[in-house]
Amino acid sequence: MNGLSQARTRVLKVDPGCPDPAVLHEAARVIRRGGLVAFPTETVYGLAAMGTSIPALKRLFKAKGRPQASPLTLHLWSTQQVPPLVRFIPDAARRLVARFWPGPLTLVLWKSRRVPAMVTGGRDSVGLRLPDHRVARELIRLAGAPLVAPSANLSGRPSPTSAADVLSDLEGRIDLVLDGGETSLGLESTVLDLTVDPPAVLRPGSVSASDIEACLGSGVRVGLGDMPDLRLRYAPGPRLLLFEGPDPAAVVGRILRAYRRLEAGGGRVGVLAAEESVPLYTAAGLPPGHVRAAGSRADPAAAARRLYRVMRGFEAEGFSCILAEPFPDEGLGAAVMHRLRLAAAETVKE
Ligand code: TXA
Ligand code: MG
């Protein structure tokens, strides 16, 4: 089986609340034979391969165009799978697992010898995650071993939140997509490194640094510098310019000036806005299709859910440039801002 020369990628619909066992068995069979299967989780779609099969891992890196030095995370269906994969379980891990698993929190722990170096990019640590999604967990259980599951996008692109997103990046490069509709959270899991003291948030997500501190009763560091693949940028096709600044009205003014300048230069320009400012752009004469709300500034969960959808929408419609408003940089808003800053070709400060 060679995923890269495949004529087509099969798509099977699956009900996220009540998945058809026959479909899950078929997907697990494909994975056990060394194939690549995209599947929904509560965060984004993942691309599953056997975490114990070197040929399957090689195919996965190739299909995504992902550098092999970039570590993969193992996805589990039960906490009982943790002990054989790690050297020891720190007290902090026990508490976090009890509080946040299943859910959008990836824990980085010292790995045991059972975890192949190809999974961890040669690192001595391994990322573990137990997704809060019936399809994901049933699939992992039926596959019979921990599965690696990076986001099911081409390396460097925004993560997929629907089966259509997966196909637009990976059609013909993978064996099967389980289509379980839109994912509910829309942003990748929080990655927390427990091999350092204090623990470090490597990637912010729905479980915030303060949620983690409240659970542990001690501080965590928000250190993005340790992310091994920070240069993989979650970036859409159009050039994204992020306008930072404390005053929303001033940001709207700056974006309007940039819009006019870029449009006069022949660009097809879109604005990724907070809901509150959409009427301001419309009043200034921007065509409605060019201004899209990710969510309200008061509801970062909505912005998280729609962020990649809006980016991919502009891209699919041939926009050349996206001018993005900032969201409040705290809680889940911090995760939204982290992705926007990485996706940005340029950050425009006041
Ligand atoms: O929500 C998610 O986590 C999704 C869904 C599909 O589960 N998966 C996902 O996987 O986002 P991926 O591979 O795209 O991102 C995992 C991140 C990577 O940026 C990687 O650098 C980091 O976790 N990571 C994994 N293992 C690590 C390790 N041992 N040390 C430091 N960072 C690690
Ligand atoms: Mg990814």
Side-chain angles (χ1 to χ4, degrees):
M1 216 174 349
N2 173 358
L4 297 184
S5 62
Q6 262 177 353
R8 68 191 188 95
T9 297
R10 277 194 299 156
V11 180
L12 294 174
K13 287 251 184 220
V14 64
D15 178 346
C18 183
D20 178 353
V23 170
L24 294 174
H25 276 282
E26 170 58 8
R29 191 187 61 84
V30 173
I31 293 170
R32 280 198 309 271
R33 291 190 174 178
L36 305 178
V37 175
F39 67 103
T41 78
E42 79 279 33
T43 58
V44 299
Y45 274 71
L47 181 59
M50 284 301 264
T52 46
S53 157
I54 301 299
L57 291 167
K58 283 190 177 153
R59 288 186 59 208
L60 177 92
F61 281 111
K62 200 161 171 193
K64 274 186 59 90
R66 178 165 172 136
Q68 286 202 12
S70 165
L72 299 165
T73 51
L74 289 174
H75 286 53
L76 316 175
W77 70 275
S78 157
T79 54
Q80 291 180 10
Q81 291 176 290
V82 174
L85 300 171
V86 300
R87 238 180 272 163
F88 62 95
I89 304 179
D91 203 41
R94 282 181 210 286
R95 273 191 251 167
L96 292 164
V97 163
R99 169 80 182 76
F100 296 110
W101 278 15
L105 176 65
T106 297
L107 296 176
V108 175
L109 298 170
W110 293 114
K111 80 174 194 74
S112 75
R113 286 209 196 120
R114 289 217 206 168
V115 180
M118 189 173 271
V119 168
T120 65
R123 272 172 198 75
D124 232 7
S125 58
V126 62
L128 303 178
R129 163 158 145 74
L130 201 156
D132 186 14
H133 194 289
R134 229 174 125 179
V135 171
R137 278 163 69 193
E138 276 295 288
L139 182 64
I140 300 162
R141 186 176 69 78
L142 293 172
L147 300 181
V148 292
S151 48
N153 50 274
L154 282 173
S155 189
R157 309 238 319 121
S159 293
T161 57
S162 70
D165 293 346
V166 174
L167 289 170
S168 82
D169 276 23
L170 298 176
E171 172 125 56
R173 302 171 77 92
I174 64 175
D175 300 283
L176 176 64
V177 181
L178 294 183
D179 180 355
E182 297 264 331
T183 60
S184 57
L185 298 177
L187 271 198
E188 310 82 354
S189 62
T190 304
V191 179
L192 182 71
D193 187 352
L194 288 175
T195 68
V196 292
D197 190 18
V201 175
L202 302 183
R203 180 174 71 185
S206 300
V207 177
S208 70
S210 52
D211 295 336
I212 294 168
E213 287 175 336
C215 172
L216 295 180
S218 58
V220 301
R221 197 160 57 88
V222 181
L224 306 173
D226 299 339
M227 198 72 172
D229 44 11
L230 204 59
R231 52 180 204 80
L232 305 180
R233 291 169 23 124
Y234 308 89
R239 227 172 113 72
L240 189 143
L241 306 183
L242 173 62
F243 288 73
E244 297 216 35
D247 174 11
V251 166
V252 171
R254 287 159 57 211
I255 288 186
L256 280 171
R257 283 193 293 281
Y259 184 97
R260 301 243 146 78
R261 196 176 58 244
L262 290 163
E263 202 195 27
R268 185 167 156 78
V269 188
V271 179
L272 188 160
E275 226 161 77
E276 292 84 344
S277 15
V278 171
L280 302 176
Y281 294 108
T282 329
L286 265 54
H290 287 231
V291 183
R292 298 184 193 174
S296 156
R297 273 190 284 272
D299 181 9
R305 200 176 313 124
R306 284 181 44 80
L307 180 69
Y308 292 144
R309 166 105 359 274
V310 174
M311 283 186 190
R312 281 184 179 262
F314 279 132
E315 173 178 86
E317 289 170 44
F319 282 75
S320 54
C321 185
I322 302 171
L323 308 178
E325 289 194 347
F327 285 81
D329 200 351
E330 58 202 14
L332 188 47
V336 171
M337 286 305 288
H338 169 254
R339 305 308 192 278
L340 276 171
R341 286 182 183 126
L342 287 175
E346 211 179 299
T347 298
V348 191
K349 303 240 164 148
E350 256 174 318

